[in-house]
mmCIF file of all heavy atoms in Angstrom:
data_model
loop_
_atom_site.group_PDB
_atom_site.id
_atom_site.type_symbol
_atom_site.label_atom_id
_atom_site.label_comp_id
_atom_site.label_asym_id
_atom_site.label_seq_id
_atom_site.Cartn_x
_atom_site.Cartn_y
_atom_site.Cartn_z
ATOM 1 N N LEU A 1151 5.318 -7.252 9.629
ATOM 2 C CA LEU A 1151 5.709 -6.439 8.483
ATOM 3 C C LEU A 1151 5.239 -7.066 7.177
ATOM 4 O O LEU A 1151 4.715 -6.373 6.290
ATOM 5 C CB LEU A 1151 7.225 -6.250 8.457
ATOM 6 C CG LEU A 1151 7.775 -5.409 7.287
ATOM 7 C CD1 LEU A 1151 7.176 -4.006 7.315
ATOM 8 C CD2 LEU A 1151 9.301 -5.335 7.355
ATOM 9 N N GLU A 1152 5.407 -8.381 7.046
ATOM 10 C CA GLU A 1152 4.978 -9.073 5.834
ATOM 11 C C GLU A 1152 3.466 -9.002 5.683
ATOM 12 O O GLU A 1152 2.940 -8.789 4.582
ATOM 13 C CB GLU A 1152 5.443 -10.528 5.856
ATOM 14 C CG GLU A 1152 5.028 -11.360 4.654
ATOM 15 C CD GLU A 1152 5.650 -10.883 3.338
ATOM 16 O OE1 GLU A 1152 6.548 -10.016 3.378
ATOM 17 O OE2 GLU A 1152 5.232 -11.373 2.288
ATOM 18 N N ARG A 1153 2.762 -9.144 6.787
ATOM 19 C CA ARG A 1153 1.308 -9.063 6.747
ATOM 20 C C ARG A 1153 0.864 -7.687 6.253
ATOM 21 O O ARG A 1153 -0.051 -7.566 5.434
ATOM 22 C CB ARG A 1153 0.727 -9.337 8.128
ATOM 23 C CG ARG A 1153 -0.798 -9.440 8.157
ATOM 24 C CD ARG A 1153 -1.311 -9.483 9.585
ATOM 25 N NE ARG A 1153 -2.731 -9.801 9.636
ATOM 26 C CZ ARG A 1153 -3.701 -8.931 9.338
ATOM 27 N NH1 ARG A 1153 -3.406 -7.697 8.952
ATOM 28 N NH2 ARG A 1153 -4.980 -9.303 9.422
ATOM 29 N N SER A 1154 1.501 -6.647 6.750
ATOM 30 C CA SER A 1154 1.146 -5.286 6.359
ATOM 31 C C SER A 1154 1.401 -5.053 4.876
ATOM 32 O O SER A 1154 0.598 -4.415 4.184
ATOM 33 C CB SER A 1154 1.940 -4.270 7.190
ATOM 34 O OG SER A 1154 1.615 -4.378 8.561
ATOM 35 N N ARG A 1155 2.516 -5.577 4.374
ATOM 36 C CA ARG A 1155 2.856 -5.406 2.967
ATOM 37 C C ARG A 1155 1.860 -6.147 2.069
ATOM 38 O O ARG A 1155 1.435 -5.621 1.033
ATOM 39 C CB ARG A 1155 4.279 -5.884 2.690
ATOM 40 C CG ARG A 1155 5.361 -4.969 3.243
ATOM 41 C CD ARG A 1155 6.748 -5.427 2.803
ATOM 42 N NE ARG A 1155 6.877 -5.467 1.356
ATOM 43 C CZ ARG A 1155 7.103 -4.402 0.583
ATOM 44 N NH1 ARG A 1155 7.213 -3.215 1.120
ATOM 45 N NH2 ARG A 1155 7.213 -4.530 -0.724
ATOM 46 N N ILE A 1156 1.494 -7.351 2.467
ATOM 47 C CA ILE A 1156 0.529 -8.112 1.662
ATOM 48 C C ILE A 1156 -0.825 -7.405 1.672
ATOM 49 O O ILE A 1156 -1.490 -7.289 0.633
ATOM 50 C CB ILE A 1156 0.397 -9.550 2.180
ATOM 51 C CG1 ILE A 1156 1.716 -10.310 2.019
ATOM 52 C CG2 ILE A 1156 -0.723 -10.283 1.436
ATOM 53 C CD1 ILE A 1156 1.726 -11.659 2.700
ATOM 54 N N PHE A 1157 -1.238 -6.938 2.851
ATOM 55 C CA PHE A 1157 -2.520 -6.233 2.934
ATOM 56 C C PHE A 1157 -2.545 -5.054 1.969
ATOM 57 O O PHE A 1157 -3.522 -4.853 1.238
ATOM 58 C CB PHE A 1157 -2.781 -5.733 4.357
ATOM 59 C CG PHE A 1157 -4.090 -5.006 4.507
ATOM 60 C CD1 PHE A 1157 -5.236 -5.682 4.877
ATOM 61 C CD2 PHE A 1157 -4.177 -3.640 4.248
ATOM 62 C CE1 PHE A 1157 -6.451 -5.018 4.989
ATOM 63 C CE2 PHE A 1157 -5.386 -2.965 4.346
ATOM 64 C CZ PHE A 1157 -6.528 -3.656 4.717
ATOM 65 N N PHE A 1158 -1.468 -4.276 1.949
ATOM 66 C CA PHE A 1158 -1.450 -3.100 1.076
ATOM 67 C C PHE A 1158 -1.509 -3.526 -0.388
ATOM 68 O O PHE A 1158 -2.232 -2.920 -1.189
ATOM 69 C CB PHE A 1158 -0.196 -2.250 1.322
ATOM 70 C CG PHE A 1158 -0.268 -0.908 0.644
ATOM 71 C CD1 PHE A 1158 -0.732 0.203 1.328
ATOM 72 C CD2 PHE A 1158 0.087 -0.765 -0.692
ATOM 73 C CE1 PHE A 1158 -0.837 1.442 0.700
ATOM 74 C CE2 PHE A 1158 -0.018 0.467 -1.332
ATOM 75 C CZ PHE A 1158 -0.482 1.572 -0.631
ATOM 76 N N ARG A 1159 -0.751 -4.565 -0.765
ATOM 77 C CA ARG A 1159 -0.760 -5.024 -2.153
ATOM 78 C C ARG A 1159 -2.152 -5.484 -2.570
ATOM 79 O O ARG A 1159 -2.579 -5.262 -3.706
ATOM 80 C CB ARG A 1159 0.249 -6.166 -2.358
ATOM 81 C CG ARG A 1159 1.697 -5.758 -2.216
ATOM 82 C CD ARG A 1159 2.616 -6.728 -2.948
ATOM 83 N NE ARG A 1159 2.391 -8.106 -2.588
ATOM 84 C CZ ARG A 1159 3.030 -8.758 -1.632
ATOM 85 N NH1 ARG A 1159 3.932 -8.118 -0.898
ATOM 86 N NH2 ARG A 1159 2.778 -10.029 -1.386
ATOM 87 N N TRP A 1160 -2.857 -6.137 -1.657
ATOM 88 C CA TRP A 1160 -4.209 -6.590 -1.964
ATOM 89 C C TRP A 1160 -5.194 -5.428 -2.046
ATOM 90 O O TRP A 1160 -6.060 -5.390 -2.909
ATOM 91 C CB TRP A 1160 -4.687 -7.579 -0.903
ATOM 92 C CG TRP A 1160 -4.013 -8.909 -0.956
ATOM 93 C CD1 TRP A 1160 -3.031 -9.315 -1.819
ATOM 94 C CD2 TRP A 1160 -4.289 -10.021 -0.101
ATOM 95 N NE1 TRP A 1160 -2.671 -10.612 -1.549
ATOM 96 C CE2 TRP A 1160 -3.418 -11.075 -0.502
ATOM 97 C CE3 TRP A 1160 -5.149 -10.234 0.959
ATOM 98 C CZ2 TRP A 1160 -3.418 -12.315 0.133
ATOM 99 C CZ3 TRP A 1160 -5.152 -11.471 1.590
ATOM 100 C CH2 TRP A 1160 -4.291 -12.500 1.175
ATOM 101 N N ALA A 1161 -5.063 -4.481 -1.130
ATOM 102 C CA ALA A 1161 -6.010 -3.377 -1.047
ATOM 103 C C ALA A 1161 -5.788 -2.334 -2.133
ATOM 104 O O ALA A 1161 -6.750 -1.768 -2.678
ATOM 105 C CB ALA A 1161 -5.929 -2.723 0.333
ATOM 106 N N TYR A 1162 -4.519 -2.090 -2.470
ATOM 107 C CA TYR A 1162 -4.184 -1.041 -3.435
ATOM 108 C C TYR A 1162 -3.142 -1.566 -4.430
ATOM 109 O O TYR A 1162 -1.993 -1.127 -4.435
ATOM 110 C CB TYR A 1162 -3.661 0.197 -2.706
ATOM 111 C CG TYR A 1162 -4.637 0.751 -1.695
ATOM 112 C CD1 TYR A 1162 -4.532 0.417 -0.350
ATOM 113 C CD2 TYR A 1162 -5.681 1.590 -2.096
ATOM 114 C CE1 TYR A 1162 -5.444 0.914 0.581
ATOM 115 C CE2 TYR A 1162 -6.594 2.084 -1.171
ATOM 116 C CZ TYR A 1162 -6.468 1.739 0.160
ATOM 117 O OH TYR A 1162 -7.377 2.230 1.081
ATOM 118 N N PRO A 1163 -3.523 -2.518 -5.272
ATOM 119 C CA PRO A 1163 -2.553 -3.178 -6.155
ATOM 120 C C PRO A 1163 -1.844 -2.237 -7.121
ATOM 121 O O PRO A 1163 -0.650 -2.394 -7.380
ATOM 122 C CB PRO A 1163 -3.402 -4.218 -6.905
ATOM 123 C CG PRO A 1163 -4.811 -3.733 -6.777
ATOM 124 C CD PRO A 1163 -4.889 -3.070 -5.440
ATOM 125 N N ARG A 1164 -2.532 -1.252 -7.666
ATOM 126 C CA ARG A 1164 -1.898 -0.351 -8.634
ATOM 127 C C ARG A 1164 -0.865 0.544 -7.952
ATOM 128 O O ARG A 1164 0.220 0.777 -8.489
ATOM 129 C CB ARG A 1164 -2.960 0.491 -9.335
ATOM 130 C CG ARG A 1164 -3.890 -0.335 -10.229
ATOM 131 C CD ARG A 1164 -4.877 0.545 -10.966
ATOM 132 N NE ARG A 1164 -5.765 -0.247 -11.812
ATOM 133 C CZ ARG A 1164 -6.748 0.257 -12.538
ATOM 134 N NH1 ARG A 1164 -6.962 1.573 -12.533
ATOM 135 N NH2 ARG A 1164 -7.508 -0.534 -13.280
ATOM 136 N N ILE A 1165 -1.198 1.064 -6.787
ATOM 137 C CA ILE A 1165 -0.246 1.892 -6.051
ATOM 138 C C ILE A 1165 0.953 1.062 -5.632
ATOM 139 O O ILE A 1165 2.110 1.493 -5.746
ATOM 140 C CB ILE A 1165 -0.920 2.535 -4.819
ATOM 141 C CG1 ILE A 1165 -2.039 3.488 -5.250
ATOM 142 C CG2 ILE A 1165 0.113 3.282 -3.976
ATOM 143 C CD1 ILE A 1165 -2.806 4.109 -4.091
ATOM 144 N N ALA A 1166 0.703 -0.148 -5.155
ATOM 145 C CA ALA A 1166 1.793 -1.031 -4.726
ATOM 146 C C ALA A 1166 2.729 -1.332 -5.888
ATOM 147 O O ALA A 1166 3.957 -1.353 -5.723
ATOM 148 C CB ALA A 1166 1.223 -2.324 -4.152
ATOM 149 N N GLU A 1167 2.167 -1.553 -7.080
ATOM 150 C CA GLU A 1167 2.995 -1.854 -8.251
ATOM 151 C C GLU A 1167 3.926 -0.697 -8.583
ATOM 152 O O GLU A 1167 5.118 -0.893 -8.853
ATOM 153 C CB GLU A 1167 2.104 -2.172 -9.445
ATOM 154 C CG GLU A 1167 2.881 -2.556 -10.704
ATOM 155 C CD GLU A 1167 1.968 -2.896 -11.865
ATOM 156 O OE1 GLU A 1167 0.736 -2.747 -11.733
ATOM 157 O OE2 GLU A 1167 2.492 -3.315 -12.920
ATOM 158 N N VAL A 1168 3.399 0.511 -8.542
ATOM 159 C CA VAL A 1168 4.219 1.687 -8.825
ATOM 160 C C VAL A 1168 5.300 1.852 -7.766
ATOM 161 O O VAL A 1168 6.468 2.128 -8.083
ATOM 162 C CB VAL A 1168 3.338 2.951 -8.911
ATOM 163 C CG1 VAL A 1168 4.219 4.200 -9.026
ATOM 164 C CG2 VAL A 1168 2.393 2.869 -10.097
ATOM 165 N N CYS A 1169 4.934 1.679 -6.511
ATOM 166 C CA CYS A 1169 5.912 1.800 -5.419
ATOM 167 C C CYS A 1169 7.023 0.760 -5.563
ATOM 168 O O CYS A 1169 8.206 1.067 -5.385
ATOM 169 C CB CYS A 1169 5.225 1.657 -4.071
ATOM 170 S SG CYS A 1169 4.160 3.049 -3.619
ATOM 171 N N ASP A 1170 6.659 -0.458 -5.895
ATOM 172 C CA ASP A 1170 7.657 -1.523 -6.061
ATOM 173 C C ASP A 1170 8.596 -1.212 -7.221
ATOM 174 O O ASP A 1170 9.814 -1.430 -7.131
ATOM 175 C CB ASP A 1170 6.958 -2.869 -6.298
ATOM 176 C CG ASP A 1170 6.252 -3.391 -5.058
ATOM 177 O OD1 ASP A 1170 6.571 -2.923 -3.948
ATOM 178 O OD2 ASP A 1170 5.368 -4.262 -5.210
ATOM 179 N N GLN A 1171 8.048 -0.719 -8.297
ATOM 180 C CA GLN A 1171 8.866 -0.404 -9.469
ATOM 181 C C GLN A 1171 9.867 0.714 -9.175
ATOM 182 O O GLN A 1171 10.965 0.736 -9.739
ATOM 183 C CB GLN A 1171 7.972 -0.003 -10.642
ATOM 184 C CG GLN A 1171 7.176 -1.155 -11.236
ATOM 185 C CD GLN A 1171 6.189 -0.698 -12.294
ATOM 186 O OE1 GLN A 1171 5.936 0.505 -12.451
ATOM 187 N NE2 GLN A 1171 5.613 -1.648 -13.017
ATOM 188 N N ASN A 1172 9.493 1.636 -8.285
ATOM 189 C CA ASN A 1172 10.337 2.789 -7.989
ATOM 190 C C ASN A 1172 11.077 2.678 -6.665
ATOM 191 O O ASN A 1172 11.741 3.631 -6.240
ATOM 192 C CB ASN A 1172 9.482 4.062 -7.989
ATOM 193 C CG ASN A 1172 8.958 4.408 -9.369
ATOM 194 O OD1 ASN A 1172 9.685 4.930 -10.211
ATOM 195 N ND2 ASN A 1172 7.698 4.096 -9.614
ATOM 196 N N GLY A 1173 10.972 1.515 -6.016
ATOM 197 C CA GLY A 1173 11.665 1.322 -4.753
ATOM 198 C C GLY A 1173 11.155 2.221 -3.647
ATOM 199 O O GLY A 1173 11.915 2.602 -2.740
ATOM 200 N N GLN A 1174 9.883 2.573 -3.694
ATOM 201 C CA GLN A 1174 9.293 3.463 -2.694
ATOM 202 C C GLN A 1174 8.570 2.664 -1.610
ATOM 203 O O GLN A 1174 8.056 1.576 -1.855
ATOM 204 C CB GLN A 1174 8.283 4.407 -3.358
ATOM 205 C CG GLN A 1174 8.882 5.353 -4.380
ATOM 206 C CD GLN A 1174 7.804 6.158 -5.085
ATOM 207 O OE1 GLN A 1174 6.801 5.611 -5.552
ATOM 208 N NE2 GLN A 1174 7.991 7.468 -5.143
ATOM 209 N N ALA A 1175 8.519 3.241 -0.418
ATOM 210 C CA ALA A 1175 7.740 2.643 0.663
ATOM 211 C C ALA A 1175 6.261 2.820 0.365
ATOM 212 O O ALA A 1175 5.854 3.801 -0.277
ATOM 213 C CB ALA A 1175 8.096 3.306 1.990
ATOM 214 N N TYR A 1176 5.454 1.882 0.806
ATOM 215 C CA TYR A 1176 4.019 2.010 0.615
ATOM 216 C C TYR A 1176 3.477 3.148 1.487
ATOM 217 O O TYR A 1176 3.950 3.365 2.600
ATOM 218 C CB TYR A 1176 3.303 0.712 0.998
ATOM 219 C CG TYR A 1176 3.610 -0.467 0.101
ATOM 220 C CD1 TYR A 1176 3.400 -1.769 0.545
ATOM 221 C CD2 TYR A 1176 4.095 -0.289 -1.195
ATOM 222 C CE1 TYR A 1176 3.663 -2.867 -0.270
ATOM 223 C CE2 TYR A 1176 4.360 -1.369 -2.017
ATOM 224 C CZ TYR A 1176 4.147 -2.660 -1.543
ATOM 225 O OH TYR A 1176 4.416 -3.727 -2.356
ATOM 226 N N PRO A 1177 2.472 3.886 1.002
ATOM 227 C CA PRO A 1177 1.841 4.930 1.818
ATOM 228 C C PRO A 1177 1.226 4.339 3.084
ATOM 229 O O PRO A 1177 0.873 3.151 3.133
ATOM 230 C CB PRO A 1177 0.759 5.491 0.893
ATOM 231 C CG PRO A 1177 1.238 5.172 -0.486
ATOM 232 C CD PRO A 1177 1.927 3.837 -0.360
ATOM 233 N N LEU A 1178 1.086 5.162 4.095
ATOM 234 C CA LEU A 1178 0.525 4.718 5.366
ATOM 235 C C LEU A 1178 -0.992 4.596 5.274
ATOM 236 O O LEU A 1178 -1.658 5.340 4.545
ATOM 237 C CB LEU A 1178 0.898 5.691 6.478
ATOM 238 C CG LEU A 1178 2.396 5.836 6.771
ATOM 239 C CD1 LEU A 1178 2.630 6.905 7.836
ATOM 240 C CD2 LEU A 1178 2.991 4.498 7.208
ATOM 241 N N LEU A 1179 -1.528 3.646 6.042
ATOM 242 C CA LEU A 1179 -2.964 3.426 6.116
ATOM 243 C C LEU A 1179 -3.456 3.713 7.525
ATOM 244 O O LEU A 1179 -2.717 3.561 8.507
ATOM 245 C CB LEU A 1179 -3.308 1.987 5.738
ATOM 246 C CG LEU A 1179 -2.844 1.486 4.364
ATOM 247 C CD1 LEU A 1179 -3.244 0.032 4.178
ATOM 248 C CD2 LEU A 1179 -3.428 2.342 3.250
ATOM 249 N N ASP A 1180 -4.727 4.067 7.620
ATOM 250 C CA ASP A 1180 -5.299 4.271 8.946
ATOM 251 C C ASP A 1180 -5.818 2.950 9.503
ATOM 252 O O ASP A 1180 -5.611 1.881 8.902
ATOM 253 C CB ASP A 1180 -6.391 5.346 8.921
ATOM 254 C CG ASP A 1180 -7.570 4.970 8.024
ATOM 255 O OD1 ASP A 1180 -7.758 3.769 7.739
ATOM 256 O OD2 ASP A 1180 -8.310 5.878 7.611
ATOM 257 N N ASP A 1181 -6.514 2.996 10.615
ATOM 258 C CA ASP A 1181 -6.938 1.774 11.312
ATOM 259 C C ASP A 1181 -8.046 1.018 10.591
ATOM 260 O O ASP A 1181 -8.375 -0.109 10.980
ATOM 261 C CB ASP A 1181 -7.409 2.120 12.732
ATOM 262 C CG ASP A 1181 -6.264 2.567 13.620
ATOM 263 O OD1 ASP A 1181 -5.100 2.245 13.294
ATOM 264 O OD2 ASP A 1181 -6.530 3.236 14.637
ATOM 265 N N ILE A 1182 -8.619 1.611 9.553
ATOM 266 C CA ILE A 1182 -9.655 0.892 8.799
ATOM 267 C C ILE A 1182 -9.252 0.694 7.342
ATOM 268 O O ILE A 1182 -10.093 0.449 6.479
ATOM 269 C CB ILE A 1182 -11.020 1.610 8.901
ATOM 270 C CG1 ILE A 1182 -10.898 3.074 8.450
ATOM 271 C CG2 ILE A 1182 -11.568 1.526 10.316
ATOM 272 C CD1 ILE A 1182 -12.254 3.789 8.388
ATOM 273 N N GLY A 1183 -7.933 0.807 7.095
ATOM 274 C CA GLY A 1183 -7.409 0.449 5.787
ATOM 275 C C GLY A 1183 -7.460 1.525 4.724
ATOM 276 O O GLY A 1183 -7.188 1.233 3.546
ATOM 277 N N ASN A 1184 -7.763 2.757 5.082
ATOM 278 C CA ASN A 1184 -7.786 3.836 4.105
ATOM 279 C C ASN A 1184 -6.450 4.563 4.081
ATOM 280 O O ASN A 1184 -5.731 4.619 5.083
ATOM 281 C CB ASN A 1184 -8.893 4.843 4.437
ATOM 282 C CG ASN A 1184 -10.271 4.245 4.248
ATOM 283 O OD1 ASN A 1184 -10.563 3.610 3.235
ATOM 284 N ND2 ASN A 1184 -11.137 4.429 5.238
ATOM 285 N N LEU A 1185 -6.118 5.137 2.912
ATOM 286 C CA LEU A 1185 -4.899 5.941 2.809
ATOM 287 C C LEU A 1185 -5.004 7.150 3.726
ATOM 288 O O LEU A 1185 -6.030 7.852 3.726
ATOM 289 C CB LEU A 1185 -4.696 6.413 1.369
ATOM 290 C CG LEU A 1185 -4.413 5.314 0.321
ATOM 291 C CD1 LEU A 1185 -4.525 5.898 -1.074
ATOM 292 C CD2 LEU A 1185 -3.029 4.719 0.541
ATOM 293 N N ILE A 1186 -3.961 7.376 4.519
ATOM 294 C CA ILE A 1186 -3.984 8.524 5.428
ATOM 295 C C ILE A 1186 -3.939 9.835 4.662
ATOM 296 O O ILE A 1186 -4.621 10.815 5.000
ATOM 297 C CB ILE A 1186 -2.814 8.442 6.434
ATOM 298 C CG1 ILE A 1186 -3.053 7.257 7.387
ATOM 299 C CG2 ILE A 1186 -2.657 9.738 7.218
ATOM 300 C CD1 ILE A 1186 -1.953 7.049 8.394
ATOM 301 N N GLU A 1187 -3.173 9.876 3.572
ATOM 302 C CA GLU A 1187 -3.096 11.059 2.733
ATOM 303 C C GLU A 1187 -3.356 10.668 1.287
ATOM 304 O O GLU A 1187 -3.011 9.542 0.875
ATOM 305 C CB GLU A 1187 -1.707 11.714 2.851
ATOM 306 C CG GLU A 1187 -1.389 12.231 4.246
ATOM 307 C CD GLU A 1187 -0.010 12.864 4.303
ATOM 308 O OE1 GLU A 1187 0.689 12.865 3.271
ATOM 309 O OE2 GLU A 1187 0.368 13.357 5.375
ATOM 310 N N PRO A 1188 -3.952 11.556 0.492
ATOM 311 C CA PRO A 1188 -4.150 11.250 -0.930
ATOM 312 C C PRO A 1188 -2.818 10.921 -1.589
ATOM 313 O O PRO A 1188 -1.794 11.540 -1.297
ATOM 314 C CB PRO A 1188 -4.751 12.548 -1.473
ATOM 315 C CG PRO A 1188 -5.363 13.218 -0.289
ATOM 316 C CD PRO A 1188 -4.473 12.876 0.868
ATOM 317 N N TRP A 1189 -2.825 9.929 -2.489
ATOM 318 C CA TRP A 1189 -1.568 9.491 -3.122
ATOM 319 C C TRP A 1189 -1.593 9.826 -4.594
ATOM 320 O O TRP A 1189 -2.568 9.546 -5.303
ATOM 321 C CB TRP A 1189 -1.390 7.989 -2.949
ATOM 322 C CG TRP A 1189 -0.064 7.487 -3.482
ATOM 323 C CD1 TRP A 1189 1.103 7.416 -2.811
ATOM 324 C CD2 TRP A 1189 0.184 6.975 -4.788
ATOM 325 N NE1 TRP A 1189 2.093 6.894 -3.610
ATOM 326 C CE2 TRP A 1189 1.571 6.617 -4.835
ATOM 327 C CE3 TRP A 1189 -0.607 6.794 -5.935
ATOM 328 C CZ2 TRP A 1189 2.150 6.088 -5.978
ATOM 329 C CZ3 TRP A 1189 0.011 6.260 -7.076
ATOM 330 C CH2 TRP A 1189 1.376 5.909 -7.075
#
C-alpha cells in the first residue's frame, strides 16, 4: 500500500497534492501507470 501511494505521488504530484488536501483517495492506475479514467 505504501509503495502504491509513493508511486502515485511521484507520478502525479499535483493530483496527489489535491487529493491529500481534500482527504480523497488517489485515482486508480492501470498496469503501466496511466490514469484509468480522466481526472
